[in-house]
Amino acid sequence: MDIAANLASIRQQIETTCQECGRNPAEVRLVAVAKTKPAELVEEALAAGQTLIGESYVQELVAKTDQIEARAEWHFLGHLQSNKVKYLAGRTSLIHSVDRLSLAKEINRVWGKIGQTANILIQVNLGQEASKSGATVNEVESLVRSIALLPNIRIRGLMTLPPFCPDPEEVRPYFRQLRELAEHLADCNLPGVIMDELSMGMSHDFTVAIEEGATLVRIGTAIFGERQPRPA
Ligand SMILES: *Cc1c(COP(=O)(O)O)cnc(C)c1O
């Protein structure tokens, strides 16, 4: 697995896609998703110039941020239980996966205790899949309005994990729907809501996500290789 070469290839694809659809490549940030991969591989990615790392399990994020000394920015992407929020404070600059008010309240409490404001995204379950986390389209606006009232939280945008489709073109409508939802919420002009980030697109569909407005693409397999099943 040549991580540096994989990163170079993805950066090139991001650049080309942006040029083709008239976007500034600086608007699209690459989150290298390292879940289940050892700290050594993350260090390899950092040595190759990657700065933004995504993790989906709290324990892994804590272990790797403890072990790795190189400078990095860490995002949390996975399903988050309220009782684990305290471990993320001071270690993550963006939580992509907030999907309920109770979780947001706990983030607000924990970040308030350290005198900081948490940046979060609202995860939306566009495919209405029972197996996936995320607020439904119908509840997003009221959720955003409630979370916006919490003083130590800043909503930066939306995230989605669409249904898996082998053909990325089939995912395009979901990406477009997320962008339209974000535009609608931005038009509401709520204090505490910025809506400048759209987290969408993974290894097999990130170019389509960029065409539809992604500002954060979350890529694991195409950088670090296939994952083993999730550790118990
Ligand atoms: C694992 C994961 C990814 C990366 O998926 P790949 O297909 O390996 O690129 C992206 N987003 C989330 C939320 C993930 O859990």
Side-chain angles (χ1 to χ4, degrees):
M1 190 50 49
D2 187 340
I3 289 174
N6 292 346
L7 282 168
S9 156
I10 289 163
R11 287 191 199 113
Q12 185 59 56
Q13 288 176 73
I14 291 174
E15 190 125 331
T16 307
T17 306
C18 284
Q19 272 160 8
E20 285 169 1
C21 68
R23 295 188 61 196
N24 177 354
E27 288 171 16
V28 181
R29 289 191 295 158
L30 169 60
V31 183
V33 181
K35 61 169 182 265
T36 79
K37 300 294 179 183
E40 289 69 26
L41 296 189
V42 176
E43 285 170 330
E44 233 180 285
L46 295 172
Q50 179 63 25
T51 52
L52 189 45
I53 307 295
E55 290 287 350
S56 297
Y57 306 113
V58 172
Q59 257 176 312
E60 264 197 84
L61 184 137
V62 170
K64 288 180 208 172
T65 49
D66 277 347
Q67 188 180 335
I68 293 170
E69 282 173 7
R71 256 181 92 84
E73 186 183 341
W74 298 80
H75 286 188
F76 188 78
L77 318 173
H79 180 72
L80 184 53
Q81 292 166 278
S82 292
N83 62 359
K84 297 207 173 144
V85 166
K86 56 180 178 288
Y87 302 114
L88 294 182
R91 294 179 191 264
T92 43
S93 59
L94 186 67
I95 300 174
H96 290 227
S97 46
V98 178
D99 60 358
R100 56 198 191 278
L101 183 58
S102 57
L103 174 61
K105 282 183 173 166
E106 177 61 6
I107 294 171
N108 181 65
R109 188 186 72 79
V110 169
W111 260 254
K113 262 172 67 175
I114 58 170
Q116 292 182 16
T117 300
N119 287 300
I120 67 156
L121 306 179
I122 305 296
Q123 181 174 352
V124 188
N125 183 357
L126 294 175
Q128 317 282 5
E129 293 169 284
S131 63
K132 283 192 180 142
S133 315
T136 64
V137 172
N138 290 336
E139 66 195 10
V140 170
E141 184 175 337
S142 70
L143 182 63
V144 165
R145 286 180 181 274
S146 306
I147 294 178
L149 300 174
L150 302 171
N152 290 92
I153 289 199
R154 196 177 294 117
I155 300 177
R156 300 299 303 266
L158 304 180
M159 178 272 227
T160 197
L161 195 62
F164 179 81
C165 307
D167 175 3
E169 280 304 324
E170 288 178 44
V171 196
R172 188 184 294 276
Y174 292 105
F175 293 151
R176 187 166 297 170
Q177 194 186 357
L178 194 75
R179 186 190 66 218
E180 288 169 357
L181 199 50
E183 285 167 357
H184 166 70
L185 292 166
D187 287 343
C188 295
N189 280 321
L190 302 169
V193 179
I194 299 178
M195 283 294 152
D196 58 355
E197 302 282 7
L198 274 181
S199 169
M200 56 190 197
M202 315 201 297
S203 290
H204 75 294
D205 57 13
F206 70 90
T207 57
V208 174
I210 290 170
E211 288 164 6
E212 295 300 331
T215 64
L216 290 161
V217 289
R218 312 179 307 264
I219 300 182
T221 311
I223 298 170
F224 297 109
E226 293 291 337
R227 287 179 292 274
Q228 301 300 318
R230 176 192 173 172

